[in-house]
Amino acid sequence: MPEIPAVSRRLLLGGALATGVAAAGAGAAHAAPAAGAGAGASVPVRTPPRRPGQRSMIDVPFDAHETVRVGLIGLGNRGSGMAEGWAAVPGCRVTAVCDIRANRATSVANRLVALGKPRPAEYGGSEDAYAQMLKRDDIDLVYIATPWEFHHRQGKAALEAGKHAIVELPVATELDELWDLVDTSERTRRHLMLSENCSYGRNELAMLKMAHDGLFGDVTNGHGGYLHDLRDLLFSDTYYTDAWRRLWHTRSTASFYPMHGLAPIAAAMDINRGDRMTVLRATATEPKGLADYRERFIDRSHPSWKETYINGDLVTCLIDTAKGRVIRAEHDVSSPRPYSRINSLAGSRGIFEDYAGTSATGGRIYVEPDHSGHSWRDFDSYRKEFDHWLWKKIGDDAANNGGHGGMDYVLQWRTVQLMRAGLVPDIDVYDSASWCAPVPLSVKSLAAGGRPVDIPDFTRGSWVNLRMGLDSRESAMPPVA
């Protein structure tokens, strides 16, 4: 009997399912129990009903904009670094910049003028300066790059001011805040997106295309994370203003920042687009790294010596999906190690692992029937074959205009293009909430001794519908008048 090849998701989406109306999860009600479901009752998490007057934002396109006018909130390392990228995108203009430290707004404005761009309006000097900026009628999109504790408040304020919002990771740190952003987006009819640049990484998008073209067979598991030795930056007196990021390690035991690794795996698994994350369990190692680094390298007069670090060095979240897949998401910024987002995906016919190969791409692969003999192969030829259209189209521009290997600019270019062309966002508020939910859910699981915790369905049932996301069809940037 001939072998039946895996059905390409691209072919499925080429038909009626491309509208997002048909349900790809017709068998979802009969899906296998989530892996590990017998490990004890999970901690329930309530899914609130949709309030009257709210409607889903799934598959809602942007209104087309001739020019996308962007306001920036938060001009520290990340925000100031992204300012020039926004200004470089065709058809995008930075119209206003804001930071509680007014001199930062002036500095960014000066840099943009030096590049030949129009001078943006400047706001700063007070905690509510951003609220004054949001009153402007020449802002279509608000980019938020402040410390984590301000993301929910400022993202919600942007939506309520009639602006779309793109928010750095995480969009919020509490479950009720995540639900509030979902509800506010639905009520205001404005999009809120996680500024997940790693989802636009070249390897990540190639991995996504390979998975959706059936190269790995039936995808069964994935592994992603954020493993980044930040110890020197965490103890720097200038890098993180007022040591905001280090102080989070004194407040809670949580997976603070797993999204960079989780989001690409979730996209490859069609999370919220035919599958969904259902249960999370978390483990944490002892908090040793920051205290050890302080002991060896930080003078006793430094204010950090008044701090007690409670967050585990390595926090691991094991996540089950409705279709029986398993995702392992890790976070560690306190240990000595080379950088890695792990970025691994496996299925019935093969596996891809990033940050592990010897090739220029950093990836390695093993898929049947191409390979045999239990030996890894370089990823180079596969990335070339499955290169996402965005990288083919603007890869050179990305290298010249954006950080993190160009993926920052790909994110910015694509966001502006979606808004100018009136298209549906690749990353919506439901993806944003789901990818950030492990932050508060890991707290709940760890507090319960590692018990599984239910993951809420932020789509309120619409996850069963297969629809486009980061696996977009090629489209053009509208010409600039």
Side-chain angles (χ1 to χ4, degrees):
M1 183 174 178
E3 180 178 335
I4 300 175
V7 177
S8 165
R9 184 177 187 275
R10 177 190 295 168
L11 296 178
L12 287 174
L13 285 170
L17 289 179
T19 64
V21 175
H30 306 289
S42 59
V43 177
V45 174
R46 177 176 173 268
T47 296
R50 183 172 278 127
R51 296 188 182 102
Q54 288 180 208
R55 291 174 290 132
S56 173
M57 290 295 287
I58 288 176
D59 285 336
V60 174
F62 289 105
D63 292 332
H65 296 71
E66 182 176 343
T67 300
V68 175
R69 301 164 299 178
V70 179
L72 312 182
I73 302 176
L75 302 172
N77 293 291
R78 182 62 175 160
S80 64
M82 291 286 277
E84 294 176 18
W86 289 114
V89 178
C92 183
R93 176 181 172 184
V94 177
T95 55
V97 293
C98 177
D99 194 281
I100 192 171
R101 290 163 174 78
N103 64 306
R104 290 182 174 176
T106 299
S107 176
V108 170
N110 288 343
R111 280 193 359 242
L112 294 179
V113 170
L115 292 170
K117 306 298 181 181
R119 189 177 192 89
E122 300 170 33
Y123 291 83
S126 67
E127 292 185 1
D128 65 348
Y130 75 91
Q132 299 303 312
M133 189 191 82
L134 292 177
K135 293 178 181 179
R136 299 181 65 93
D137 60 6
D138 61 351
I139 296 175
D140 307 304
L141 175 69
V142 178
Y143 169 69
I144 297 170
T146 51
W148 302 337
E149 51 261 45
F150 303 115
H151 288 183
H152 163 253
R153 181 195 320 165
Q154 293 168 345
K156 180 177 182 177
L159 298 177
E160 291 185 326
K163 329 294 187 188
H164 300 290
I166 181 165
V167 186
E168 283 295 339
L169 292 63
V171 296
T173 61
E174 302 289 345
L175 273 181
D176 60 347
E177 294 176 346
L178 293 171
W179 276 115
D180 192 33
L181 292 177
V182 169
D183 291 341
T184 303
S185 175
E186 292 184 347
R187 175 171 51 82
T188 62
R189 314 308 296 162
R190 292 293 180 267
H191 285 295
L192 182 138
M193 303 154 282
L194 181 69
S195 184
E196 183 38 82
N197 58 339
C198 295
S199 291
Y200 288 94
R202 196 164 205 158
N203 282 9
E204 284 87 343
L205 285 176
M207 178 185 73
L208 172 79
K209 284 174 55 63
M210 287 158 46
H212 288 175
D213 277 12
L215 201 71
F216 303 115
D218 291 322
V219 173
T220 58
N221 68 94
H223 184 191
Y226 187 69
L227 308 178
H228 190 182
D229 182 1
L230 292 179
R231 293 172 300 164
D232 58 337
L233 297 179
L234 289 172
F235 285 99
S236 167
D237 290 330
T238 57
Y239 194 82
Y240 293 114
T241 304
D242 298 329
W244 69 264
R245 190 161 183 170
R246 187 180 73 240
L247 291 177
W248 273 92
H249 290 260
T250 71
R251 297 170 181 160
S252 181
T253 305
S255 181
F256 290 136
Y257 203 75
M259 294 74 73
H260 279 332
L262 172 60
I265 301 301
M269 289 184 178
D270 289 319
I271 297 301
N272 292 340
R273 290 166 168 76
D275 198 359
R276 83 172 187 91
M277 300 186 293
T278 56
V279 175
L280 175 149
R281 336 182 217 339
T283 62
T285 65
E286 289 295 314
K288 301 292 187 182
L290 294 185
D292 178 74
Y293 185 90
R294 181 179 60 185
E295 178 69 34
R296 290 185 290 147
F297 300 111
I298 305 301
D299 189 88
R300 291 275 176 173
S301 63
H302 194 267
S304 64
W305 279 97
K306 298 178 182 178
E307 300 165 357
T308 299
Y309 306 114
I310 63 173
N311 195 46
D313 292 341
L314 174 65
V315 181
T316 301
C317 294
L318 198 63
I319 299 168
D320 301 332
T321 81
K323 289 192 172 182
R325 298 161 172 156
V326 176
I327 303 171
R328 189 164 85 249
E330 297 186 353
H331 176 268
D332 185 350
V333 299
S334 307
S335 303
R337 57 159 303 127
Y339 180 90
S340 174
R341 296 194 300 275
I342 307 170
N343 198 29
S344 175
L345 194 71
S348 58
R349 298 186 183 177
I351 183 171
F352 165 70
E353 286 188 352
D354 210 348
Y355 297 92
T358 58
S359 71
T361 65
R364 62 185 185 179
I365 190 170
Y366 185 90
V367 292
E368 296 173 342
D370 295 9
H371 305 142
S372 61
H374 307 282
S375 298
W376 290 102
R377 307 303 198 277
D378 284 344
F379 183 51
D380 304 54
S381 63
Y382 288 88
R383 191 174 80 171
K384 184 176 182 180
E385 179 182 355
F386 291 94
D387 208 12
H388 195 278
W389 70 266
L390 280 167
W391 279 95
K392 292 179 180 179
K393 191 179 191 75
I394 63 168
D396 290 340
D397 290 339
N400 294 327
N401 291 298
H404 295 99
M407 61 186 171
D408 288 349
Y409 184 76
V410 175
L411 163 70
Q412 293 172 306
W413 189 96
R414 176 61 171 166
T415 301
V416 172
Q417 185 223 11
L418 290 166
M419 293 184 66
R420 295 191 65 220
L423 301 175
V424 175
D426 296 341
I427 298 170
D428 59 30
V429 71
Y430 310 102
D431 302 317
S432 304
S434 297
W435 298 346
C436 295
V439 179
L441 293 177
S442 62
V443 176
K444 289 181 177 290
S445 178
L446 290 167
R451 279 181 59 195
V453 178
D454 289 342
I455 300 175
D457 172 19
F458 292 100
T459 73
R460 294 180 168 107
S462 295
W463 63 270
V464 298
N465 295 325
L466 191 63
R467 56 192 174 93
M468 282 289 190
L470 288 154
D471 54 345
S472 53
R473 295 188 179 92
E474 183 171 358
S475 54
M477 175 73 80
V480 176

